[in-house]
Amino acid sequence: MEETILENGKEPSFIRFYVKEKDGNRLEYGSIQKSVWVNGTCKSETLLWLGKVLNKEEMIFKSRKNGIYKFTPPDTITPLSTGEIGYFGIPTNTTAQPLIGKELAEIYEPANCLSFGGVYVASQLLRQSTIADIIMDPFAGVKGLGDCVMALVLYKLTQGGASMHIKNWWDETYAKFLYPNINLDSPRISELLKEIGKEKYWRIFFENYSEFIKKESPVKGVILDSTGLQNAIQTALSQISNHGGKINREIRLIVVLDRISGYPLYFKYVPGNIVDKSTLQHIFHEMEAYDFEIASALMDAGYFNEEDLKFLYDRKVSFVTRFIPNRKIYKKIMANEIDDIDDLKYHVKKDSRFMKIKCIQVNDMLNMQLYVYVCKDLVEANKGEFHILNNFDFNKSEFKEIEEIREKLRRRGIFILLSSIKLPTDKILHFYYERQDIEQIFDFAKNDVDLLPLRVHSEATLRGHFMIVFFSTIAHVYMRRILEKKQFKMSRSAAFEILSRHVTIVYDKKNFHLPSIPSPTTRKIYAVFNIEIPKKMLIQQDNKFL
């Protein structure tokens, strides 16, 4: 909460700014207030409600009563016409932090110096890999739609943020030469996302994409997991969920990941109150419709369900999942198979952690021959033992309570995995912990390409938003794999942040632009991606790219 003192020559007053959560967004509002004494207590009294803050420095507000206006203290309200404000309610004579940096912005006019490297390298890589063709092909029948989609993907990869700000990015980057004839005005974005989300485009994309994956990853192993997308939007998809004991209003997003390549294969969104285990068969059937081939599946405990395990088993899809504790066989194993788990013969080292792993074959589970791996994480067991004993008073405890503590200590750090194939004990954990790859994908989608917060208010727009995030994630994984293969010790996002500082100087009268001389680090990143740094580029030729 901020306050600005007003010099009005009358009674002392001030503008109070405060932030309010609305539909998942943080909005700032302002009002004019004065301090009054009531029964010996100093309180604030509202003199004038100013409305939503559009630009604090310029004192631009929006309210139902006055529309968009400029406030001049102490009480002058000047309505602003559409021509006096930008697409996002910001006066046209004010700008955000320029992408080319503050120093260059003080030298060049915005149209004469553009952020170049990030957009150029990303567009070249996606062209060379055929990923651009796969993304754009479904939209070939609608003039300009494919270009708009690729512009959105490049925006997510090189800058990120809400899609409604893409026009600013387009104005300040090489993208305006790549896609000169597209309309990215803010009011147009919702219409664009609705179009992208149509089922006919999805089907063409996933049919083409499945063929790409067959060439990239012949192993056909998948990781399946879901994440909750908390939101405050009014839609039937947004429901109260209880996931892992946490109560939230959310939409559930299920993602299938290729285990070897790390590419996301498929996704599905469902209402937040649908549990994971009720979705597995449906997802497999949908992927089957697009000719995705699946030979093995790695799943979290949320997908543990005898009917689904039998479904996979009968189709010869091998699986590894975590056993849930509310099954009789789990309780039987915990009662009979963990007393000797500390024996040295079960010792396994996982990275820098020491584990105990014991393999047991079971044949009494829906007529399937399965393998149970009883695992004890020694670090977690020791942490748990310290916590339990530190909070227990042996001098005041009954024998029964001591026995309960002994049983807790006995089970501490133990978890059980279930597999349809027998794996060496030193391999099962490595296989299971590959699940962390999908957590990295969720983290990238939420934090780098604006999966959250959800700023849409219809399922049609939501579908388009998900598709752009999915396309961007595919591109991200492709570029990350290049860096990993070259053993380049820099993240993809860090590399593109540096590339985006590489600018190009525009000479529009001569119809060309000239990329600046890159720094040694920038030059190295170009080399890692095997992209040649252009010397001089004709503007009219750039319009034909992609």
Side-chain angles (χ1 to χ4, degrees):
M1 184 178 294
E2 292 182 46
E3 295 179 354
T4 301
I5 304 298
L6 300 180
E7 300 292 339
N8 56 16
K10 300 176 184 178
E11 55 187 351
S13 59
F14 55 90
I15 299 180
R16 172 165 288 172
F17 297 98
Y18 65 95
V19 174
K20 183 179 179 182
E21 295 279 349
K22 185 177 181 181
D23 296 336
N25 298 317
R26 291 171 58 84
L27 302 177
E28 189 171 23
Y29 295 88
S31 63
I32 299 178
Q33 301 190 2
K34 70 173 182 177
S35 298
V36 296
W37 288 91
V38 179
N39 298 327
T41 303
C42 184
K43 295 187 176 182
S44 296
E45 178 182 315
T46 299
L47 299 177
L48 177 65
W49 167 254
L50 296 174
K52 185 166 66 173
V53 179
L54 298 183
N55 189 303
K56 189 183 294 184
E57 292 182 1
E58 297 289 322
M59 299 292 267
I60 307 294
F61 298 89
K62 180 179 181 180
S63 68
R64 290 183 180 179
K65 180 180 178 181
N66 300 309
I68 299 176
Y69 66 94
K70 181 181 180 67
F71 177 74
T72 305
D75 53 14
T76 303
I77 290 176
T78 306
L80 297 178
S81 65
T82 306
E84 293 176 287
I85 58 173
Y87 289 112
F88 315 113
I90 299 175
T92 52
N93 62 348
T94 65
T95 58
Q97 176 67 29
L99 297 180
I100 60 174
K102 212 169 182 180
E103 292 184 3
L104 286 176
E106 291 175 350
I107 301 171
Y108 293 97
E109 294 292 324
N112 294 336
C113 183
L114 303 175
S115 173
F116 174 76
V119 175
Y120 179 75
V121 170
S123 63
Q124 291 292 303
L125 287 173
L126 297 185
R127 273 182 68 214
Q128 295 170 7
S129 69
T130 73
I131 289 176
D133 293 334
I134 294 170
I135 292 174
M136 294 179 71
D137 182 59
F139 312 103
V142 182
K143 185 178 179 181
L145 183 57
D147 286 349
C148 287
V149 170
M150 281 306 302
L152 278 164
V153 171
L154 293 177
Y155 168 64
K156 297 295 185 183
L157 289 169
T158 59
Q159 180 174 330
S163 297
M164 65 180 180
H165 298 304
I166 188 174
K167 182 64 164 57
N168 285 353
W169 167 85
W170 182 88
D171 281 334
E172 298 180 37
T173 68
Y174 171 65
K176 70 187 303 180
F177 292 152
L178 277 176
Y179 311 110
N181 301 316
I182 58 177
N183 182 0
L184 296 173
D185 294 348
S186 181
R188 177 100 172 89
I189 296 301
S190 290
E191 298 173 23
L192 180 60
L193 293 177
K194 285 180 183 178
E195 185 68 23
I196 294 168
K198 288 183 177 179
E199 178 71 15
K200 62 181 180 180
Y201 301 131
W202 285 39
R203 295 192 179 197
I204 297 172
F205 167 76
F206 280 114
E207 286 168 3
N208 295 342
Y209 185 52
S210 67
E211 293 301 317
F212 170 81
I213 289 297
K214 288 173 187 176
K215 297 174 184 177
E216 290 289 316
S217 183
V219 176
K220 306 177 182 66
V222 303
I223 306 172
L224 182 69
D225 205 352
S226 69
T227 186
L229 307 179
Q230 298 178 36
N231 63 84
I233 60 179
Q234 299 300 315
T235 172
L237 290 166
S238 186
Q239 298 291 335
I240 300 297
S241 74
N242 183 349
H243 197 83
K246 296 181 179 179
I247 309 296
N248 292 299
R249 178 178 289 278
E250 62 185 28
I251 296 171
R252 203 88 199 144
L253 182 66
I254 305 158
V255 174
V256 184
L257 193 72
D258 184 77
R259 193 172 64 82
I260 302 301
S261 68
Y263 281 114
L265 300 181
Y266 195 70
F267 74 92
K268 187 173 184 63
Y269 61 91
V270 295
N273 56 2
I274 291 182
V275 295
D276 289 342
K277 65 182 181 181
S278 65
T279 63
L280 184 141
Q281 294 189 38
H282 190 92
I283 289 171
F284 269 66
H285 287 315
E286 282 193 2
M287 295 184 70
E288 186 180 63
Y290 296 115
D291 292 328
F292 284 103
E293 299 174 5
I294 300 176
S296 64
L298 181 57
M299 305 169 293
D300 198 7
Y303 293 93
F304 188 98
N305 176 24
E306 283 83 350
E307 181 184 341
D308 288 339
L309 298 183
K310 183 67 173 172
F311 169 83
L312 297 176
Y313 191 86
D314 290 345
R315 284 160 179 74
K316 295 181 170 50
V317 176
S318 59
F319 58 83
V320 173
T321 186
R322 187 163 178 159
F323 228 125
I324 55 176
N326 62 350
R327 294 295 193 272
K328 289 182 180 179
I329 189 170
Y330 179 94
K331 295 173 182 176
K332 180 180 177 182
I333 292 169
M334 292 296 285
N336 302 325
E337 300 292 347
I338 66 173
D339 286 336
D340 64 342
I341 191 68
D342 288 321
D343 195 302
L344 281 176
K345 65 182 178 181
Y346 299 128
H347 180 83
V348 174
K349 185 178 181 181
K350 169 69 171 69
D351 298 328
S352 60
R353 305 187 81 158
F354 295 100
M355 311 284 292
K356 303 287 186 177
I357 305 177
K358 178 180 182 181
C359 180
I360 308 159
Q361 182 175 323
V362 294
N363 301 309
D364 55 347
M365 192 173 172
L366 296 176
N367 298 317
M368 296 184 288
Q369 180 176 299
L370 302 175
Y371 298 89
V372 168
Y373 292 83
V374 182
C375 309
K376 184 174 183 179
D377 186 328
L378 298 182
V379 173
E380 287 299 317
N382 290 335
K383 284 182 182 177
E385 182 176 358
F386 174 81
H387 178 75
I388 291 170
L389 296 179
N390 192 49
N391 293 284
F392 185 73
D393 189 344
F394 286 90
N395 296 324
K396 297 181 180 180
S397 300
E398 302 281 337
F399 174 77
K400 183 179 178 180
E401 292 175 314
I402 294 175
E403 286 299 306
E404 289 175 354
I405 292 298
R406 184 178 286 120
E407 183 61 20
K408 284 184 179 180
L409 293 174
R410 176 174 171 266
R411 295 168 176 257
R412 198 69 187 179
I414 290 181
F415 60 96
I416 300 177
L417 302 179
L418 182 67
S419 174
S420 62
I421 55 175
K422 188 172 183 178
L423 296 167
T425 53
D426 61 339
K427 301 294 184 186
I428 185 70
L429 272 185
H430 175 77
F431 191 79
Y432 181 70
Y433 279 118
E434 286 180 1
R435 286 190 318 107
Q436 295 174 353
D437 293 345
I438 206 166
E439 295 299 332
Q440 293 176 7
I441 291 296
F442 287 142
D443 181 69
F444 168 77
K446 290 178 179 180
N447 297 313
D448 287 52
V449 291
D450 195 43
L451 176 59
L452 288 177
L454 297 178
R455 299 181 177 91
V456 297
H457 295 277
S458 71
E459 183 174 354
T461 311
L462 182 71
R463 285 168 62 89
H465 173 64
F466 283 155
M467 279 303 278
I468 293 297
V469 170
F470 192 78
F471 294 155
S472 304
T473 305
I474 293 169
H476 162 73
V477 172
Y478 171 71
M479 296 172 192
R480 187 191 68 191
R481 292 182 75 199
I482 294 175
L483 295 176
E484 290 173 350
K485 188 176 180 179
K486 299 286 185 70
Q487 297 182 337
F488 192 64
K489 295 182 179 180
M490 185 182 292
S491 69
R492 188 212 63 86
S493 57
F496 274 83
E497 185 177 342
I498 293 172
L499 285 172
S500 293
R501 296 185 205 137
H502 183 215
V503 301
T504 189
I505 310 303
V506 181
Y507 299 91
D508 50 352
K509 291 182 180 179
K510 297 294 185 179
N511 206 36
F512 70 82
H513 61 95
L514 199 62
S516 63
I517 300 172
S519 69
T521 303
T522 304
R523 192 179 294 277
K524 185 181 291 187
I525 297 171
Y526 272 95
V528 166
F529 285 120
N530 199 27
I531 300 295
E532 185 178 346
I533 304 172
K535 306 296 184 186
K536 173 184 173 183
M537 305 183 74
L538 296 180
I539 294 174
Q540 62 183 24
Q541 290 179 345
D542 296 347
N543 294 353
K544 298 177 183 178
F545 281 4
L546 282 183

